[in-house]
């Protein structure tokens, strides 16, 4: 790890603290008239009146969404599955230093965008655009956006995981899985994604493990015990991966492993 990277990691918490202090000072310096004046931001109440927030409340809501929204979006998509499988594949090939983490994350993010594009288009056309044109309220837009996401998560969720999370959450028995709370469906979806990712990663690991065992046995038979088997097996694993067009097969496996809903 370079010195610059170490400095950046150590300075990152102080940078966040400085940003928070700057926001607090900025809010304290706002004029009372501007801070007290309500400004319409998002949504409408059930009686049709616009929901209004002050400037300080707007900043608080925006900063909270910026901190939580990326994590929630990543957890509600197939990004977790893709990135874990790619990391396990890199480990199986023995390329811990050959494929940077940024490349693995970028590939997983691109595949996630490819898989989630129909859902994103549905949410944009049915929820965001009507809300932006003031045709529906915020509550209706959130309900419309939640429906395809819930259906997608339930399509990937194992029944055992959903039942376990439901029991942990203290929910009673339900006839329809859609009746579960959104947080219960989200937790069960994440648990199922972890299980599926390790299952696929195990299947990808087996061929390269066989090569390692064969190379180790040959070296032991030749009495070359001081030579690391990884040095010899790495070219064979790369050759096998290239000959079978491994990246195409891996991407096809990742994309087709996601169950699309109707």
């Amino acid at each position: 790890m370079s010195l610059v990277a170490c400095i950046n990691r150590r300075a990152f918490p102080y940078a966040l603290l400085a940003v928070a202090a700057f926001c607090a000072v900025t809010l304290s310096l706002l004029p009372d008239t501007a801070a007290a004046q309500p400004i319409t931001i998002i949504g409408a109440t059930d009686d049709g009146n616009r929901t209004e927030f002050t400037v300080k409340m707007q900043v608080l809501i925006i900063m909270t969404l910026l901190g939580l929204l990326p994590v929630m979006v990543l957890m509600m998509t197939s990004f977790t599955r893709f990135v874990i499988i790619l990391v396990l594949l890199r480990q199986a090939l023995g390329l811990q230093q050959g494929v940077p983490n940024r490349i693995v994350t970028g590939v997983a993010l691109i595949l996630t965008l490819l898989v989630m594009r129909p859902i994103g288009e549905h949410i944009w056309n049915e929820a965001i655009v009507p809300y932006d044109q003031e045709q529906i309220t915020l509550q209706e837009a959130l309900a419309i956006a939640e429906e395809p996401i819930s259906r997608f998560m339930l399509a990937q969720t194992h029944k055992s995981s959903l039942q376990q999370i439901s029991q942990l959450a203290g929910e009673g028995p339900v006839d329809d899985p859609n009746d579960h709370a959104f947080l219960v469906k989200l937790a069960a979806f994440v648990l199922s994604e972890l299980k599926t990712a390790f299952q696929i990663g195990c299947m990808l690991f087996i061929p390269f493990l066989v090569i390692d065992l064969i190379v180790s046995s040959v070296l032991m038979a030749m009495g070359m015990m001081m030579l690391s088997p990884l040095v010899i097996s790495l070219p064979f694993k790369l050759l096998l991966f290239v000959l079978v067009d491994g990246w195409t097969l891996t991407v096809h496996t990742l994309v087709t492993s996601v169950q699309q809903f109707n």
Side-chain angles (χ1 to χ4, degrees):
M1 184 182 299
S2 63
L3 179 61
V4 176
C6 294
I7 295 176
N8 291 337
R9 288 191 176 182
R10 294 179 180 178
F12 183 71
Y14 300 99
L16 289 179
L17 183 60
V19 171
F22 175 77
C23 293
V25 173
T26 303
L27 290 177
S28 63
L29 294 179
L30 287 174
D32 294 338
T33 56
Q37 181 181 3
I39 299 178
T40 302
I41 177 171
I42 54 176
T45 58
D46 295 335
D47 56 1
N49 298 326
R50 301 288 298 182
T51 302
E52 297 180 345
F53 298 98
T54 61
V55 175
K56 292 183 179 181
M57 184 58 66
Q58 290 187 46
V59 175
L60 178 61
I61 293 175
I62 293 175
M63 294 298 292
T64 303
L65 291 178
L66 289 178
L68 296 179
L69 188 59
V71 178
M72 295 296 293
V73 169
L74 293 181
M75 290 294 101
M76 291 186 296
T77 62
S78 300
F79 178 81
T80 303
R81 177 190 303 191
F82 292 162
V83 73
I84 291 177
I85 293 175
L86 291 176
V87 169
L88 291 177
L89 177 61
R90 182 181 63 179
Q91 183 73 23
L93 287 171
L95 297 175
Q96 290 82 0
Q97 304 298 328
V99 182
N101 291 328
R102 294 182 179 179
I103 300 298
V104 174
T105 305
V107 174
L109 184 58
I110 292 175
L111 293 179
T112 302
L113 294 176
L114 177 64
V115 171
M116 302 299 297
R117 184 182 61 178
I119 301 177
E121 292 178 350
H122 178 81
I123 294 175
W124 176 266
N125 295 327
E126 302 296 333
I128 298 180
V129 173
Y131 172 73
D132 184 63
Q133 297 176 354
E134 299 183 355
Q135 298 177 359
I136 59 177
T137 62
L138 176 62
Q139 289 79 7
E140 293 174 346
L142 292 177
I144 295 175
E146 179 184 349
E147 181 182 357
I149 296 177
S150 297
R151 292 171 59 190
F152 171 79
M153 292 192 300
L154 289 176
Q156 325 303 323
T157 303
H158 301 285
K159 294 182 179 179
S160 59
S161 300
L162 185 60
Q163 183 178 2
Q164 179 184 3
I165 297 298
S166 177
Q167 293 177 355
L168 293 176
E171 285 191 346
V174 296
D175 298 332
D176 189 0
N178 291 309
D179 296 336
H180 288 288
F182 184 78
L183 289 180
V184 172
K185 291 183 285 188
L186 177 59
F189 168 74
V190 173
L191 183 61
S192 300
E193 287 294 283
L194 292 175
K195 181 179 179 180
T196 304
F198 278 96
Q199 289 176 346
I200 299 177
C202 181
M203 297 300 297
L204 294 177
F205 223 103
I206 292 178
F208 306 107
L209 180 60
V210 172
I211 294 178
D212 288 333
L213 292 176
I214 294 175
V215 172
S216 299
S217 300
V218 172
L219 292 179
M220 290 290 292
M222 297 177 62
M224 304 175 63
M225 294 177 293
M226 300 301 295
L227 183 61
S228 175
L230 296 178
V231 178
I232 306 300
S233 62
L234 179 59
F236 290 101
K237 289 190 289 187
L238 292 178
L239 181 61
L240 174 65
F241 194 72
V242 172
L243 289 178
V244 299
D245 198 4
W247 284 117
T248 301
L249 294 177
T250 302
V251 171
H252 182 268
T253 301
L254 293 178
V255 175
T256 54
S257 67
V258 178
Q259 300 292 330
Q260 299 293 340
F261 62 91
N262 296 324

